[in-house]
């Protein structure tokens, strides 16, 4: 090959090079000690005549230097490109960190709390491990009373430290009513959301561990009409629209009269809570004079409210840890 065509093919090759390795291959092809095009040309110069040597020598050396310097530059470019790939490009948009979000049940609990707060209800907490007295007896559910069968109970092996009382995982949030009334004077209105436990078989509508929100309003002239108004307001705000409400007579030992409350959703009546006027035996138990004080109480299932609001058909999803379910509530 003559110098001119070597030069042309060199520039073509360099233009096609995409990596540092390509450049290295070109270097070997042109400057390689054995068969490099330039090496061969330089080597052949010794066979030329003196005059030819004088012309070709400097030209060939010039081209060799040109090729060397082009290769050095290109190699340097590829090198810094690959370095960049492993260092941080501060101009690149950041990856979005996944922050997580509040669990749907907590969201619903917060919603419910917010609504009752706006109605001037105070928020009260109670223990999940409860004494038999608060969970049953003080709520007018004495030992051996058939009403105890309404709550399948997890009993604890340990007894309470001071009075040797039996302990259990509370089967409902109603014991908070008693704890609060024992230590406070009416009038007041409270809600108490929390976890409850039932010794039951698990299926799409039953969990051994779920949540309730207890409500209690106590005063001199609190009536069923007040309850109807408050609960109507609450339901309207919670579901974001007017809902049809129905009161059905029902039995709970700690209220008289007692009701179950149904709401109409998509033309179907769904039971959403138990309620009633606090039983005079319960009032007497906490030293309230039933001739002066009266109040309404209610207990609703948090999961049930969440399931109705979001059209969820299996209560087990809440505790499944399945992120596909959870992420829908972001
Ligand atoms: N504690 C009841 C249950 O878990 C629900 C309930 C019914 C609560 C009537 C109340 C009430 O406060 O008045 O089944």
């Amino acid at each position: 090959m003559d110098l001119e065509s070597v030069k042309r093919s060199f520039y073509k090759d360099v233009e096609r090079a995409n990596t540092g390795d390509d450049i290295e291959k070109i270097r070997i092809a042109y400057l390689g000690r054995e068969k490099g095009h330039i090496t061969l040309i330089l080597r052949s110069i010794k066979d030329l005549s003196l005059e030819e040597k004088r012309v070709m020598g400097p030209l060939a050396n010039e081209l060799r230097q040109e090729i060397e310097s082009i290769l050095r530059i290109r190699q340097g470019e590829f090198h810094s490109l690959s370095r960049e790939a492993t260092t941080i490009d501060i101009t690149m948009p950041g990856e979005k960190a996944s922050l997580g979000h509040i669990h749907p049940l907590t969201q619903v609990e917060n919603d419910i709390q917010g609504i009752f707060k706006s109605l001037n209800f105070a928020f009260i907490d109670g223990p999940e491990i409860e004494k038999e007295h608060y969970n049953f007896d003080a709520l007018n559910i004495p030992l051996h009373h058939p009403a105890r069968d309404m709550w399948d109970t997890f009993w604890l092996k340990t007894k309470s430290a001071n009075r040797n009382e039996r302990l259990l995982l509370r089967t409902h949030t109603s014991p908070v009513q008693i704890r609060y009334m024992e230590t406070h004077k009416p009038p007041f209105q409270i809600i108490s959301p929390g976890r409850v436990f039932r010794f039951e078989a698990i299926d799409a509508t039953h969990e051994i561990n779920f949540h309730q929100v207890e409500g209690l309003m106590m005063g001199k002239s609190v009536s069923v009409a007040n309850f109807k108004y408050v609960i109507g307001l609450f339901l309207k705000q919670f579901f974001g629209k007017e809902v049809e409400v129905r009161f059905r007579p029902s039995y709970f030992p700690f209220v008289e009269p007692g009701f179950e409350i149904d709401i109409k959703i998509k033309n179907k009546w769904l039971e959403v809570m138990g309620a009633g006027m606090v039983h005079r035996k319960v009032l007497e138990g906490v030293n309230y004079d039933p001739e002066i004080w009266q109040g309404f109480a209610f207990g609703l299932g948090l999961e049930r409210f969440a399931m109705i609001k979001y059209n969820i058909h299996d209560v087990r999803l809440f505790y499944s840890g399945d992120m596909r379910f959870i992420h829908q509530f972001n």
Side-chain angles (χ1 to χ4, degrees):
M1 263 204 283
D2 64 289
L3 279 180
E4 208 40 53
S5 46
V6 167
K7 187 173 176 171
R8 243 184 284 123
S9 85
F10 169 74
Y11 276 104
K12 234 184 243 162
D13 288 351
V14 166
E15 207 171 301
R16 266 191 241 120
N18 289 317
T19 64
D21 281 354
D22 292 348
I23 295 295
E24 179 58 15
K25 276 182 202 143
I26 295 168
R27 196 188 61 76
I28 290 165
Y30 288 85
L31 304 173
R33 276 199 209 169
E34 298 286 319
K35 291 182 207 145
H37 300 309
I38 295 295
T39 316
L40 292 179
I41 287 172
L42 286 170
R43 207 177 284 155
S44 68
I45 286 176
K46 68 174 186 320
D47 302 327
L48 298 175
S49 68
L50 203 64
E51 263 160 71
E52 283 173 319
K53 270 185 199 162
R54 273 204 201 119
V55 183
M56 284 300 285
L59 280 177
N61 265 319
E62 207 178 287
L63 181 58
R64 195 197 53 170
Q65 279 167 17
E66 184 177 335
I67 285 177
E68 275 174 356
S69 95
I70 296 280
L71 289 176
R72 213 177 306 121
I73 292 166
R74 295 293 284 146
Q75 190 64 274
E77 283 170 11
F78 283 123
H79 185 65
S80 62
L81 258 184
S82 69
R83 268 242 314 277
E84 253 167 47
T86 57
T87 52
I88 294 167
D89 177 359
I90 58 163
T91 65
M92 238 158 76
E95 247 175 66
K96 198 171 173 231
S98 167
L99 289 179
H101 59 86
I102 294 174
H103 190 279
L105 276 182
T106 314
Q107 288 183 25
V108 168
E109 185 181 319
N110 291 348
D111 287 352
I112 293 176
Q113 270 196 47
I115 296 167
F116 279 105
K117 212 171 163 188
S118 75
L119 296 170
N120 209 23
F121 278 65
F123 163 83
I124 306 301
D125 211 359
E128 289 173 4
I129 292 178
E130 189 52 282
K131 291 177 179 172
E132 179 174 17
H133 170 76
Y134 288 113
N135 197 86
F136 289 127
D137 302 84
L139 286 163
N140 195 29
I141 319 166
L143 191 62
H144 306 308
H145 191 285
R148 280 221 180 175
D149 295 346
M150 290 167 75
W151 297 275
D152 297 305
T153 310
F154 283 111
W155 292 96
L156 268 67
K157 286 195 180 133
T158 8
K159 297 203 169 161
S160 72
N162 47 356
R163 281 206 282 155
N164 223 22
E165 273 179 274
R166 287 211 290 173
L167 294 175
L168 49 81
L169 299 181
R170 65 175 176 188
T171 61
H172 49 182
T173 43
S174 301
V176 183
Q177 291 186 32
I178 308 297
R179 286 180 171 274
Y180 191 81
M181 289 192 285
E182 271 184 359
T183 49
H184 295 82
K185 285 201 173 349
F188 58 76
Q189 51 279 327
I190 57 162
I191 60 156
S192 183
R195 186 191 291 249
V196 300
F197 307 84
R198 302 263 173 101
F199 183 40
E200 287 181 327
I202 295 170
D203 62 26
T205 52
H206 295 88
E207 261 285 357
I208 54 170
N209 141 26
F210 57 102
H211 298 78
Q212 291 186 332
V213 180
E214 194 77 14
L216 176 65
M217 180 168 185
M218 204 41 78
K220 278 187 179 156
S221 55
V222 175
S223 68
V224 175
N226 295 134
F227 172 65
K228 209 173 163 193
Y229 177 75
V230 166
I231 223 61
L233 263 183
F234 161 69
L235 291 168
K236 183 181 169 184
Q237 285 197 44
F238 182 80
F239 290 107
K241 57 173 192 251
E242 203 79 52
V243 279
E244 227 180 303
V245 186
R246 178 171 82 176
F247 282 44
R248 256 184 312 111
S250 184
Y251 171 71
F252 298 97
F254 33 92
V255 286
E256 181 58 40
F259 321 104
E260 256 156 340
I261 316 301
D262 302 336
I263 59 172
K264 204 173 195 174
I265 299 280
K266 288 194 200 125
N267 253 343
K268 256 174 59 187
W269 287 106
L270 300 173
E271 181 196 321
V272 290
M273 70 179 86
M277 297 303 291
V278 179
H279 200 288
R280 58 185 299 136
K281 272 201 178 160
V282 173
L283 296 175
E284 283 162 2
V286 294
N287 291 319
Y288 285 6
D289 185 346
E291 302 303 324
I292 301 175
W293 302 109
Q294 50 186 1
F296 65 74
F298 61 90
L300 61 86
L302 202 62
E303 281 79 358
R304 191 150 175 79
F305 269 75
M307 287 167 82
I308 294 171
K309 184 163 184 173
Y310 297 114
N311 207 12
I312 297 162
H313 296 288
D314 194 328
V315 71
R316 292 167 294 193
L317 282 166
F318 289 118
Y319 316 104
S320 64
D322 187 335
M323 298 310 271
R324 292 169 306 175
F325 170 73
I326 301 292
H327 281 324
Q328 296 177 97
F329 301 89
N330 200 349

